[in-house]
Amino acid sequence: MRRVALKGILGRKLRATLTGFAIVLGVAMVSGSFVLTDTINKSLGTIFAESYAASDVVVSPRDALAGEDSADTGSAPFPDSVLADVSALPEVEAASGSIEDEATLVGENGSPIGGGMGIALSVDPPADEQFNPLQLVAGAWPRGSEEIAVDKATAEDQGLAVGDSVGAAADGPVETYTVAGIVRYGSVESLGGATIAAFDLATAQQLFDKQNQFDFIRVAAAEGVSSQELVAEIRPLLPETAQVRTAEAQADTESEETQSEVNIFRYFLLGFGGIALFVGSFVIANTLSITVAQRARELATLRTLGASRRQVLWSVVLEAVVVGVLASVVGLFVGLGIAVGLNALLAATGIDLPETGIVFSTRTVVVSLLVGTLIALLASLRPALRATRVPPIAAVREGAVLPPSRLAKFGLATALAVVVVAIGLLAFGVFADGAETRTRLLAIGVGVLLLFIGVTLVAPRLVRPLAAALGAPAARFGGSAGRLARDNSTRNPARTASTAAALMIGIALVTFVSLLAQGLKSSFADAVDELFVADYSLTAEGDFGSVSDATVAAARETPGVTAVSAIRSGEGRAFGGTVGVNGVDENLSAIIDMSWAEGSAEVPAQLGADGAFVNDDYADEHDLGVGSRIELKTPTGEVLDLTVEGVFAEPKGGSPFGEIAVSTATFDGAYAEKENEWAFLNMEGGVTDENTATLTEALATFPDARVETRDEFKATSISDISTFVNLLYALLGLSVLVSLFGIVNTLVLSVFERTRELGMLRAIGMTRRQVRRMIRQESVITALIGATLGIVVGVFLAFLVTQALSDEGIVFAIPVGSLVVFVLVAIAAGMLAAIFPARRASKLNVLEALQYE
Amino acid sequence: METTPIHEEAQARVLEAPVVTAAGVTRRYGVEGDTCVKALRGVSLDVAPGKLTAVMGPSGSGKSTLMHILAGLDRPNEGNVSIAGTDIGALSDTDLTKLRREHIGFVFQFFNLLPMLTAEENIVLPLDLAGGKHDRGWVAELTDKIGLSDRLSHRPAELSGGQQQRVAIARALVSRPTVMFADEPTGNLDSTTGGEILELLRDSVTSFGQTTVMVTHDAHAAEIADRVLFLADGLIVKDRGASSAHEILETLEEVSGR
Ligand SMILES: Nc1ncnc2c1ncn2[C@@H]1O[C@H](COP(=O)(O)OP(=O)(O)O)[C@@H](O)[C@H]1O
Ligand SMILES: [Mg+2]
């Protein structure tokens, strides 16, 4: 029986290959995601390892909000006296302090290099030469406030040589420096596109306003002292704002931090691999069902020869599993290839990571193979069970058909029950505010899966009416080929339904995304329209940056500017939870039109040293009103005792503010990073071309900020949403592609099944062209059924979710234009899928086809 | 199970227990009423071991239906069938599978070979399915007998109709079944090839003592049988010993004319 199954695959190579593709793509996505993120992780790990390669122990700033094991973003530097204390220990052989911050290098044309992403490091030769991860490739270490060293990649990219000058902006405006040397970060060629600017220690401390402070101290242990012992010796010497770890532990914590972000990205990608595999399982199940039906007589013969039901079952499952394994192997390597390609693409676009080689782990291999094989196995169960129901007598009956499944008479009831359960789960997941998030997400996930399955089960009943409606144009304008196409598509409703269902899934998710994005955009736009009454905004250039005080000061001094208000942001802990905290200027009300649930527009001006305003949701959650007290802990360990002065009614689409806002002065007293997320400003005469020119000119030397009017601000933010939506479309496109293979497969099998009939049609005068048109139109009708079902399901899902998110101001809006595009894409997909089957059908030899048994 | 033999030679066979017996078998197709066809209307018979029994009758007389029921492919509406002493009416699907493996061989009108397997693989397929050991000597003897020893690695599509039917006969014989059923084994072959196939069937009965039930509407085919049963309108109307084609044709005309 194994032989029957294995030889069966060989005998049905084409369909096995087409079925295999359904798995290859999904598995490739899975393996590619693993390889890519593993490789990125390893690269990042190397960067951090290089950073402390020469150290035994590292002293770093401590984030008072975080646990021992977390890294230290946004925490304050510690006093340089720590270095003297540490160096004095007999267990210490050498120690050196450093500054590590961010600086933007500016090219000759005044625009930021490397998208503005750049790190700044201090060098202090000869004291730190043994520790510093930087290595001099050319020139000398920078000395004094006029010199800089840049990394080799940037130097090559910008054509910089020792002695040239280059602009750099730390926390202030762009200053021009002389390139004293070219450096390299350990053995690493590039830091993922980030530039490196190195200054001497005193200059760095000065530039970043860290006089008499350090960000890090690297320590080498004396002979015979272990890193752990040294850590224990150093710990008691440290102030509250510093901590000490072994170099290894320090590198690990730092890389874990970034790796956890990479891991989120990995799960994101894997999610789409999962969707593609789910769609693939539909394709496999459908192909096998058709195959089983076409092989009914063969299976029955096997039964008469003594095959048991179990043997028949396993022969079908085995066939699927073998295809699954082979396809998974192919997918595994296709994924590897994609990851290698993407890596090369990243390198080509300048964000290359350190060359550590592609990471192809055992886990990647095992998971990819397992997942692909398991999907094939699961998908084969239903067709395999049906195969066992082929009665032996079918071996001798002409035109034997598969008996209807035992559940067939409960078919509609079962299908509707599945849909109802799915909707119930979805409603629970979306609306049950009380339940745990994890439970709700699980309910939503299972609900969506069941909804797809349920609709697929109902779909055979919908095929006839849908085909009649969607096939009407074909029947009307396509002549007899068109009419035949429409009739063919309803000939085996179950087959058409499950073929269309695979496409439905992709289209439904795409529709859902597009509706949600539409809702998000319009809710965001509403919020901006409500709040943004300033003339211009200054937003940070690049994704991670911020607007420096120097930039804000420069804006304030620009002629014609009447008011500038900056908004700082950070995190804190209050009432046992993490909150977003802002520092706001007194003139905030002049540039942002806030509505107040309690208090008035006077509030921002009257915050003083311990006043705060909170947003209405947070006030509701913790029962706060004017006069309530808040104890806010900041990353520096400072605890602020605040009194609520006002409650801000936040628009549904969001605002620049977190939960709690205090005055800029109070913020600065408790936060290390005095950086602004945004600044808004008004000018005499409002928005005019002249004003825009003046402002842009005045801020030309401040590469960290971008000047935008309200409409520009809206447009850039919305284009960020659009970019993300396009990424989602691309990833969902993979699932659509998988379902395309499903359509090809079904058509090829139908053509094969109708060989004799096609021969007859040709014999009575149908031209090759007409045959091709007939197949093509059948394909388009199937695709349109899939698109219709998908759009309906997608709109329904979006409706549910927007109802649940209506508090966030997300409206339910149907982007008609996008839906029309999806339908057109479905039609194109149908035509594409039909090319190969239509050719096969039109190439049939009439005589042979007629004799075909 | 004891049944009342309806044929004249019952006395001669009393010592040899029949391998297949049917008692009062009826089979209706379709629901009661106008559309109901009574394909069998109470058929009783038993098949003697080591003999070739032919079931003759005009088209539509119920021959195939009878054979399907005798072979356990179909179930009667009324009556009982037993094979090798087992009443098959009560058997589960699993037990029926076991019965097929041990006791039944099939030869089909359309050969029903598996297209992806070679001739040899087709022949040993029943052994593979039963999970037993191949008796190499026996398989060699069979392939020798069907005269296809040099074609064993060919696929059915590469064989002629007659060759395919030879493979099918070897496949039916390979498990040394208690009884081999053949439904119109020559129905899809020209008369020369058909003649060769009949010879092969006769030979397997003579040299291996293979009990065989053959359904046919062709008098020349029935000529090779040790016994010929005549079916008309779902009833056995005549039971003859070995007869010439001429005699068979006469009887056939007689029973069809009724
Ligand atoms: N599956 C079936 N459904 C309905 N009627 C059938 C079926 N099989 C056979 N019959 C009818 O039963 C009768 C006997 O058929 P069959 O046993 O095939 O006869 P034979 O093999 O002698 O030609 C015929 O009238 C035939 O039309
Ligand atoms: Mg017949």
Side-chain angles (χ1 to χ4, degrees), chain A residues 159-433:
Chain A
L160 289 173
V162 173
D164 290 352
S165 52
V166 66
D171 279 350
V174 178
E175 306 272 1
T176 306
Y177 298 86
T178 307
V179 177
I182 310 285
V183 295
R184 198 168 72 165
Y185 194 90
S187 61
V188 172
E189 286 301 334
S190 151
L191 294 181
T195 59
I196 298 175
F199 304 96
D200 84 2
L201 183 60
T203 309
Q205 284 174 325
Q206 161 83 34
L207 274 175
F208 296 103
D209 199 15
K210 291 175 180 174
Q211 287 94 342
N212 305 321
Q213 291 176 317
F214 287 128
D215 285 318
F216 291 94
I217 297 176
R218 291 174 168 81
V219 187
E223 185 100 13
V225 180
S226 77
S227 301
Q228 276 78 11
E229 284 164 5
L230 192 51
V231 165
E233 288 299 323
I234 293 177
R235 189 166 285 140
L237 307 177
L238 299 179
E240 237 225 319
T241 54
Q243 61 191 338
V244 59
R245 294 192 186 97
T246 64
E248 217 170 291
Q250 181 68 24
D252 285 351
T253 1
E254 286 184 29
S255 60
E256 261 163 40
E257 195 90 340
T258 39
Q259 284 183 0
S260 75
E261 274 164 39
V262 174
N263 289 347
I264 292 174
F265 178 58
R266 166 186 300 162
Y267 289 124
F268 175 77
L269 291 180
L270 284 177
F272 288 91
I275 295 170
L277 282 169
F278 181 63
V279 173
S281 75
F282 275 61
V283 172
I284 297 165
N286 195 31
T287 310
L288 283 174
S289 294
I290 300 173
T291 308
V292 162
Q294 291 180 350
R295 285 178 63 208
R297 191 158 140 190
E298 192 179 303
L299 293 167
T301 303
L302 283 165
R303 294 298 317 274
T304 65
L305 299 177
S308 62
R309 283 199 167 150
R310 184 189 301 232
Q311 283 173 319
V312 169
L313 181 89
W314 283 117
S315 78
V316 177
V317 172
L318 182 67
E319 181 171 337
V321 166
V322 170
V323 170
V325 170
L326 292 177
S328 300
V329 172
V330 175
L332 177 67
F333 288 103
V334 170
L336 178 65
I338 291 175
V340 171
L342 273 180
N343 216 37
L345 192 74
L346 288 181
T349 48
I351 39 180
D352 47 342
L353 290 160
E355 276 295 332
T356 46
I358 292 289
V359 181
F360 192 43
S361 73
T362 318
R363 183 262 281 112
T364 307
V365 176
V366 171
V367 172
S368 301
L369 296 187
L370 216 60
V371 144
T373 310
L374 224 61
I375 284 286
L377 179 98
L378 288 177
S380 73
L381 288 181
R382 208 169 109 100
L385 278 172
R386 291 206 71 192
T388 65
R389 301 179 38 74
V390 174
I393 197 163
V396 290
R397 287 214 173 119
E398 261 308 284
V401 287
L402 220 51
S405 128
R406 223 174 316 177
L407 293 174
K409 60 176 172 253
F410 311 111
L412 190 59
T414 315
L416 291 176
V418 173
V419 172
V420 168
V421 170
I423 292 176
L425 279 171
L426 281 170
F428 170 79
V430 169
F431 295 111
D433 290 329

Side-chain angles (χ1 to χ4, degrees), chain A residues 412-603:
Chain A
L412 190 59
T414 315
L416 291 176
V418 173
V419 172
V420 168
V421 170
I423 292 176
L425 279 171
L426 281 170
F428 170 79
V430 169
F431 295 111
D433 290 329
E436 245 182 277
T437 315
R438 188 183 267 270
T439 321
R440 292 176 63 184
L441 285 178
L442 189 70
I444 293 176
V446 175
V448 170
L449 287 191
L450 281 182
L451 185 63
F452 284 137
I453 294 173
V455 172
T456 307
L457 293 175
V458 178
R461 320 251 167 184
L462 305 175
V463 162
R464 255 174 237 284
L466 281 176
L470 299 170
R476 198 174 160 81
F477 304 111
S480 53
R483 276 192 301 280
L484 280 169
R486 185 190 57 185
D487 296 344
N488 283 339
S489 66
T490 57
R491 205 192 253 196
N492 194 333
R495 188 183 291 183
T496 308
S498 39
T499 308
L503 180 62
M504 162 190 82
I505 297 169
I507 300 266
L509 294 175
V510 165
T511 303
F512 173 76
V513 166
S514 109
L515 261 75
L516 219 59
Q518 177 86 355
L520 264 174
K521 284 180 195 168
S522 71
S523 121
F524 177 79
D526 288 349
V528 173
D529 286 341
E530 181 183 334
L531 294 175
F532 196 130
V533 292
D535 295 331
Y536 294 96
S537 66
L538 301 180
T539 46
E541 194 69 69
D543 289 338
F544 310 101
S546 54
V547 181
S548 69
D549 269 0
T551 310
V552 175
R556 198 166 277 136
E557 274 146 33
T558 306
V561 170
T562 53
V564 179
S565 194
I567 300 174
R568 300 197 164 168
S569 71
E571 281 192 345
R573 279 186 84 77
F575 300 112
T578 302
V579 289
V581 181
N582 298 100
V584 298
D585 289 345
E586 290 178 0
N587 61 353
L588 180 67
S589 293
I591 51 116
I592 292 191
D593 182 18
M594 302 163 73
S595 16
W596 296 89
E598 286 183 45
S600 70
E602 306 300 312
V603 169

Side-chain angles (χ1 to χ4, degrees), chain B residues 50-71:
Chain B
K51 300 280 191 256
L52 199 165
T53 307
V55 179
M56 271 297 285
S59 182
S61 55
K63 307 182 292 291
S64 295
T65 306
L66 175 62
M67 199 202 85
H68 298 157
I69 288 175
L70 292 181

Side-chain angles (χ1 to χ4, degrees), chain A residues 7 297 301 303 306 311 395, chain B residues 93 101 110 112 116 121 129:
Chain A
K7 293 225 162 178
R297 191 158 140 190
T301 303
R303 294 298 317 274
Q311 283 173 319
Chain B
D93 187 81
R101 287 178 180 175
F110 296 103
N112 288 29
M116 62 282 199
E121 288 164 349
L129 290 172

Side-chain angles (χ1 to χ4, degrees), chain A residues 631-690:
Chain A
E631 210 171 75
L632 176 69
K633 194 175 181 195
T634 73
T636 54
E638 200 84 28
V639 176
L640 300 174
D641 224 337
L642 302 170
T643 307
V644 175
E645 302 285 340
V647 176
F648 154 53
E650 193 175 23
K652 288 171 173 178
S655 74
F657 305 105
E659 282 82 359
I660 300 175
V662 296
S663 70
T664 303
T666 309
F667 187 93
D668 288 356
Y671 283 82
E673 306 268 343
K674 298 172 182 62
E675 284 164 345
N676 306 297
E677 195 163 5
W678 288 287
F680 297 90
L681 59 89
N682 286 333
M683 288 183 80
E684 238 162 81
V687 176
T688 64
D689 288 350
E690 255 162 84

Side-chain angles (χ1 to χ4, degrees), chain B residues 60 63-65 109 183-184 215:
Chain B
K63 307 182 292 291
S64 295
T65 306
Q109 180 177 354
D183 189 357
E184 310 269 12
V215 163

